[in-house]
Structures are given as structure tokens and as C-alpha cells.
């Protein structure tokens, strides 16, 4: 009986891990997708030169906190379709030089810039109220 319980618990844990690892990172992010680009130095420098509002999103597809942040960001852009924020997604696993450049201690780091000035920096923040407040404070296109 004890072995059966152990096997059942292990199966449940394995199923939960598979769900988190295999759930697409872009599920339910259609509004975010309209504002998001894969990070390149050229895009970043041009956006800075244009004095754009830039949200750096240090992201990893295996990160559950990142997925939660993307849900919150998607909700923000759903409520603010005229937002002037450009989201540049830095891949935590393959763009290590830029992870270091942005001083991101881990994936799920968000950094908001207007041109060259950093306006906000956050690690692992998933509270909608906090993220919305910081973005709206600087987003001229917010409703």
C-alpha cells in the first residue's frame, strides 16, 4: 500500500512538472505579441535613439514566473491597446551578454527605459497592480 501511494504521488508530481515545462510560453499572449520583438542590439539602440518607451523582458521559456509575467503584460496591452511600449525580449539562455548588460540576476527580470534612462527595474514581479502602475506611469498611450 505504501508503495502504491509513493508511485501515485510521483506520478502526480511528474504530471505537474510536465504541465509547467510543456505549456507554451506564448499561450494567451495575443495582445502582448503586438508589442513584443525579439531583442537585437539594433532594435534596442534605434528605440533608444527614438526616445521610445522600452520594456526589456529577460525571459526563459521554461520559467513559470516569466509565463505569469507574460499573462500580466498581455492583460495590460489588452486594456491599453494604444500603448507606446516596445517590449524587447532578451533570451536568458542564449543572450547572456545582454543579460549581463541589463544586470539581470535571473530570468523574469523586467527593466523599463525611456531612451537611455532606466525608469524601473524588477525581478520576479508578478503582481498585476504593481506592473500596471509602473507601466502606466510612463506610458503615454495608456488608456
Amino acid at each position: 500500500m505504501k508503495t502504491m501511494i509513493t508511485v501515485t504521488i510521483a506520478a502526480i508530481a511528474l504530471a505537474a512538472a510536465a504541465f509547467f515545462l510543456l505549456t507554451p510560453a506564448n499561450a494567451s499572449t495575443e495582445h502582448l505579441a503586438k508589442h513584443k520583438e525579439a531583442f537585437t542590439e539594433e532594435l534596442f539602440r534605434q528605440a533608444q535613439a527614438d526616445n521610445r518607451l522600452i520594456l526589456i523582458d529577460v525571459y526563459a521559456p521554461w520559467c513559470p514566473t516569466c509565463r505569469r509575467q507574460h499573462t500580466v503584460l498581455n492583460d495590460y496591452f489588452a486594456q491599453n491597446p494604444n500603448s507606446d511600449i516596445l517590449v524587447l525580449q532578451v533570451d536568458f539562455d542564449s543572450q547572456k551578454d545582454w543579460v549581463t548588460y541589463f544586470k539581470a540576476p535571473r530570468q523574469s527580470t523586467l527593466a523599463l527605459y525611456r531612451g537611455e534612462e532606466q525608469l524601473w527595474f524588477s525581478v520576479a514581479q508578478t503582481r498585476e497592480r504593481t506592473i500596471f502602475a509602473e507601466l502606466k506611469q510612463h506610458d503615454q498611450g495608456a488608456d
Side-chain angles (χ1 to χ4, degrees):
M1 183 66 168
K2 188 175 181 180
T3 303
M4 187 172 191
I5 292 172
T6 303
V7 169
T8 302
I9 291 171
I12 291 170
L14 183 60
F19 173 78
F20 283 110
L21 291 174
L22 299 176
T23 299
N26 61 355
S28 302
T29 57
E30 65 196 55
H31 301 287
L32 171 59
K34 296 173 186 172
H35 296 268
K36 181 177 74 171
E37 299 278 343
F39 180 91
T40 67
E41 182 176 5
E42 182 180 353
L43 275 173
F44 179 59
R45 299 293 181 212
Q46 186 59 55
Q48 284 185 307
D50 294 342
N51 204 38
R52 296 223 23 215
L53 189 58
I54 310 159
L55 180 64
I56 298 297
D57 172 24
V58 180
Y59 175 84
W62 46 263
C63 169
T65 303
C66 299
R67 284 194 294 273
R68 175 68 185 123
Q69 286 176 330
H70 277 202
T71 299
V72 171
L73 291 172
N74 187 69
D75 291 347
Y76 178 83
F77 291 119
Q79 293 177 29
N80 300 282
N82 298 319
S83 170
D84 66 349
I85 297 174
L86 170 63
V87 179
L88 294 179
Q89 186 172 296
V90 176
D91 186 296
F92 179 78
D93 295 316
S94 66
Q95 294 180 299
K96 291 295 188 184
D97 288 346
W98 289 103
V99 170
T100 300
Y101 176 86
F102 291 114
K103 297 179 175 69
R106 56 176 276 190
Q107 72 285 352
S108 74
T109 298
L110 300 173
L112 189 65
Y113 288 83
R114 168 77 68 194
E116 294 189 18
E117 180 185 4
Q118 186 178 77
L119 306 170
W120 179 58
F121 185 88
S122 178
V123 179
Q125 179 59 259
T126 60
R127 287 188 200 101
E128 182 176 287
R129 184 179 338 159
T130 302
I131 293 172
F132 276 33
E134 290 296 335
L135 297 180
K136 279 191 173 191
Q137 179 180 350
H138 304 286
D139 187 359
Q140 296 167 350
D143 297 335

